[in-house]
Amino acid sequence: MKRDSLLSSASPDDAMATAVAGPLDGVRVLDLSAYIAGPYGCTLLADQGAEVIKIEPPTGDNLRKYPSTLASESRAFLGVNRGKRGLVLDLKQPDALAVLRRLVESADVLVHNFRPSVPARLGIAYEQLREVNPRLIYCAVTGYGETGPSKDKAGYDQVLQTMTGMCAMQGKDGGPPEILYGSVVDYYAASLVAAGVSSALFARERTGQGQYVGVSLLRSALAMQSARMIWADDEPRDVGRDMRSGGITGIHPTRDGYLYISANTPHFWQALCEKTGMAALSADERYDSVRKRAQHRDEIVPQLHAALQAHGAREWEVIFGDAVPCAAARRIEDMFDDPQVDAEAMVQHYTYAGTNGALGYRGFRQPIRFGAGASDNSNAPVSRAAPAFGQHSDEVLRDLGLTDTDIAALRKTEAVQ
């Protein structure tokens, strides 16, 4: 099977996507996962040049059905699945399972997010597919891990946030727990998927053998809190684990809008005091460390808020310049035309070949830069849009050697179910 054969019949965006090869060029990934963690992990691999085939059941990835202000498509699906080709297979059917096993023969990576008991029932457990391809990197994304009493429970981002203390820490003192919106656990797990798969590929270069890679939302949620998850032998259960610097570093109201200020170091604290007209505070020994300022936050914060009323948040950004790390609170819409985002080439125009007609949109491009140097952006491949449902099914199946008759029979079997 030729590595570049699945790049035929490409759209203009697809053609651009193949112009520059990334460091994972030549690596083929089969993405059987749904929602965010597994799919975005595969997208991160696609961003690095891997060829990713997204394999969906006849009902589609559930993320396609999520609420969206786009008329006919899921904004979340488009953002999570860039850079892939789409294939529909009903793995409950023997013919479709046979197709998958043929794909596995030449694949480098397979990623799924089934519960631990499901793969063996479908015939796609690691032990089963390793017999087909001993070099296969097999990545399973689970909610709670591969063992233990919760291993077969459905795991979701905000469920794990709540379980692992993230929401309790996010809430205000004395208030209820608060969710961190934005699927932060899912996206961190996705990063671990990409990192784990890349490490396994590197190990395969030395050993010639594939291996199992396990990523769970539970491990991801706890790993994100490594700075909090420290319990000294002589400490009581309830100790302060808040790293929010006593309220000085944080979001504050200004005359117009809100401003985040970071003033943990002596240098930044002094600059903050000087530029806000509170120079006397920087010379006060009661406030000359982060811990002391945390203890006296009720004395400092009201003075800071009063001083910040002199200007709006965007004006304070100019006044503080490089002297005080800060940012006016913006909306995500502001990022599409932000000069720094533009300079880093983080946004790209895509064309999505939807079932209800083509959709043009701007979206995020690539999180990691590869090139000859820090200022070299010429080696960044242009990504392709997320695949429409089953968009590349026929091309992928023909590449495997299936005839039009074979494909029609396969589709007929799926339609009956």
Side-chain angles (χ1 to χ4, degrees):
M1 183 186 300
K2 294 183 178 179
R3 286 292 187 185
D4 60 355
S5 58
L6 293 181
L7 301 180
S8 60
S9 303
S11 68
D13 281 347
D14 289 343
M16 294 175 67
T18 65
V20 178
L24 292 183
D25 179 50
V27 172
R28 173 168 291 168
V29 179
L30 305 180
D31 176 13
L32 276 66
S33 59
Y35 294 106
I36 295 176
Y40 198 67
C42 294
T43 286
L44 295 176
L45 297 172
D47 288 340
Q48 297 176 67
E51 176 195 354
V52 179
I53 303 174
K54 184 174 181 65
I55 301 174
E56 299 180 67
T59 53
D61 183 335
N62 283 334
L63 198 61
R64 290 186 183 272
K65 306 176 182 68
Y66 267 44
S68 173
T69 51
L70 291 175
S72 59
E73 308 298 341
S74 164
R75 196 182 305 274
F77 183 87
L78 296 180
V80 169
N81 288 282
R82 66 175 178 271
K84 305 177 184 179
R85 293 193 165 260
L87 167 65
V88 175
L89 287 177
D90 184 355
L91 297 182
K92 296 178 182 178
Q93 304 307 315
D95 289 348
L97 182 60
V99 168
L100 177 66
R101 292 174 72 88
R102 289 176 65 177
L103 285 168
V104 167
E105 290 176 3
S106 61
D108 299 287
V109 180
L110 182 143
V111 178
H112 73 72
N113 66 335
F114 298 116
R115 301 184 203 185
S117 63
V118 173
R121 192 163 66 242
L122 290 176
I124 60 169
Y126 173 58
E127 293 76 15
Q128 294 165 311
L129 296 187
R130 181 174 57 183
E131 295 179 359
V132 177
N133 181 356
R135 290 174 54 82
L136 182 69
I137 307 301
Y138 183 102
C139 180
V141 183
T142 60
Y144 298 87
E146 298 81 0
T147 59
S150 298
K151 69 183 182 66
D152 277 313
K153 290 177 63 177
Y156 292 94
D157 180 286
Q158 295 175 3
V159 174
L160 271 299
Q161 282 189 36
T162 307
M163 172 188 172
T164 60
M166 295 178 71
C167 299
M169 185 63 72
Q170 184 72 7
K172 296 179 175 61
D173 291 342
E178 295 181 7
I179 291 291
L180 285 74
Y181 290 101
S183 301
V184 292
V185 175
D186 278 337
Y187 279 103
Y188 187 67
S191 297
L192 295 181
V193 167
V197 166
S198 296
S199 296
L201 287 169
F202 179 74
R204 193 182 69 176
E205 289 300 302
R206 295 180 296 178
T207 66
Q209 295 296 309
Q211 62 179 291
Y212 177 95
V213 175
V215 174
S216 77
L217 298 188
L218 176 57
R219 286 194 292 266
S220 300
L222 293 178
M224 291 177 70
Q225 301 181 86
S226 292
R228 296 171 180 163
M229 202 170 179
I230 299 295
W231 191 347
D233 293 341
D234 59 351
E235 282 187 312
R237 174 184 173 85
D238 296 320
V239 296
R241 302 179 190 273
D242 189 348
M243 297 179 59
R244 286 177 279 188
S245 305
I248 312 305
T249 289
I251 296 179
H252 301 282
T254 70
R255 188 173 68 188
D256 179 19
Y258 289 84
L259 183 75
Y260 182 88
I261 296 172
S262 178
N264 290 334
T265 69
H267 172 75
F268 293 142
W269 166 244
Q270 182 177 4
L272 172 66
C273 291
E274 291 177 352
K275 290 184 177 292
T276 55
M278 302 188 304
L281 295 184
S282 67
D284 195 320
E285 293 182 355
R286 294 176 300 168
Y287 313 137
D288 64 4
S289 73
V290 173
R291 291 188 177 185
K292 288 181 180 180
R293 290 194 289 275
Q295 293 170 356
H296 295 281
R297 67 176 305 278
D298 291 341
E299 302 168 13
I300 301 173
V301 171
Q303 296 181 64
L304 176 60
H305 286 181
L308 292 176
Q309 291 304 307
H311 304 284
R314 300 286 183 107
E315 295 172 306
W316 280 115
E317 280 187 328
V318 176
I319 294 169
F320 288 145
D322 294 333
V324 180
C326 66
R330 291 170 168 81
R331 294 167 59 93
I332 187 66
E333 290 83 358
D334 296 323
M335 294 297 97
F336 286 92
D337 299 301
D338 181 85
Q340 182 62 30
V341 172
D342 181 64
E344 287 285 292
M346 297 182 190
V347 175
Q348 175 191 320
H349 187 271
Y350 296 85
T351 301
Y352 174 74
T355 54
N356 296 310
L359 171 68
Y361 64 93
R362 287 187 293 166
F364 186 73
R365 178 180 180 182
Q366 184 185 37
I368 302 173
R369 170 177 287 181
F370 298 96
S375 61
D376 177 18
N377 203 32
S378 62
N379 215 27
V382 178
S383 183
R384 61 171 62 89
F389 183 60
Q391 180 180 352
H392 307 95
S393 290
D394 289 357
E395 289 92 331
V396 173
L397 295 174
R398 289 193 184 104
D399 187 76
L400 280 177
L402 273 69
T403 66
D404 289 347
T405 301
D406 296 331
I407 295 172
L410 183 64
R411 294 291 169 253
K412 184 176 180 181
T413 302
E414 292 176 348
V416 170
Q417 303 303 313

